Amino acid sequence: MTPTEPLTGAVAARTAVRPPLPVKLVIAGGFGVGKTTAVGAISEIEPLTTEAAITEVAAGVDDLSLTPRKSTTTVAMDFGCITIDPTLKLYLFGTPGQERFGFMWDDIVEGAVGALVIVDTRRLDDCYAAVDYFEHKGVPFAVAINAFDGLVEHSLEEVRWALDVSEGVPVLQFDARERGSVRDALLVVLEQALARTEG
């Protein structure tokens, strides 16, 4: 074949650039823990959100005492994506945090290789449902403690004990507003998923 001949057949297939492998990850947790913020911080596209204003009725149901500036809430899901390298692209799906929207979780989680469960240590009770869900489904996950105002109420080991998660589940601290911090947390989830496939 001369340098000017077009690439055809098997030669073209060997030299074609493959698109990155699509991988679905879920970002979950209780109401107001930072799921939408995390997706927005890392996504390379304008994230799709389903934010709705918190009404007086919802304010009577959802505890806003620790998130007084929160004026909207996710009512379906958040979506964003990030290309990790030329071979891998993450598609991120954020779940709604309120229990009344829990019926959507099965559809959102379907096909996901792993999940990041975000925790606010001031409201640990709000994340039990997410931890239980992924344990029951057998989906690899990591617990990420979001540092609100730079403060964490409990140590990583105290959170592990309170959530009763095994040593095999990573528990880490991160900042949902910081792109690099979100990236590092998602990479921990990917490592969990990879370890599951190799095990």
Side-chain angles (χ1 to χ4, degrees):
M1 183 176 80
T2 67
T4 58
E5 285 180 329
L7 296 176
T8 58
V11 175
R14 286 197 306 271
T15 58
V17 176
R18 285 186 164 171
L21 178 69
V23 174
K24 181 178 181 179
L25 292 182
V26 173
I27 297 179
F31 171 72
V33 296
K35 300 179 297 294
T36 301
T37 300
V39 172
I42 192 74
S43 181
E44 64 194 14
I45 63 168
E46 184 69 27
L48 167 69
T49 63
T50 56
E51 293 284 289
I54 295 176
T55 63
E56 286 185 26
V57 173
V61 176
D62 300 321
D63 182 6
L64 300 174
S65 60
L66 293 171
T67 55
R69 295 186 300 272
K70 187 169 177 60
S71 60
T72 62
T73 187
T74 300
V75 294
M77 68 173 190
D78 300 312
F79 173 78
C81 62
I82 179 69
T83 303
I84 297 296
D85 62 36
T87 67
L88 186 65
K89 187 167 190 172
L90 302 184
Y91 291 90
L92 309 173
F93 291 78
T95 65
Q98 296 95 323
E99 193 173 325
R100 63 184 178 276
F101 297 126
F103 66 92
M104 292 186 244
W105 278 43
D106 284 346
D107 290 333
I108 293 171
V109 172
E110 185 175 355
V113 301
L116 184 69
V117 177
I118 302 179
V119 172
D120 178 351
T121 56
R122 302 169 301 177
R123 298 177 289 136
L124 279 176
D125 288 352
D126 292 353
C127 71
Y128 291 139
V131 169
D132 289 345
Y133 180 89
F134 293 111
E135 285 181 338
H136 176 72
K137 289 287 187 182
V139 175
F141 69 98
V143 173
I145 300 168
N146 194 6
F148 284 86
D149 301 319
L151 301 174
V152 172
E153 297 283 324
H154 305 285
S155 72
L156 299 183
E157 283 310 308
E158 287 172 333
V159 170
R160 179 184 298 284
W161 178 85
L163 297 180
D164 193 27
V165 293
S166 71
E167 289 297 322
V169 175
V171 178
L172 54 108
Q173 183 177 328
F174 89 131
D175 188 331
R177 302 165 301 179
E178 296 293 331
R179 181 181 177 87
S181 187
V182 176
R183 179 204 60 219
D184 291 347
L186 293 174
L187 289 176
V188 169
V189 176
L190 277 177
E191 288 172 5
Q192 285 294 99
L194 183 60
R196 178 74 61 89
T197 60
E198 292 176 344

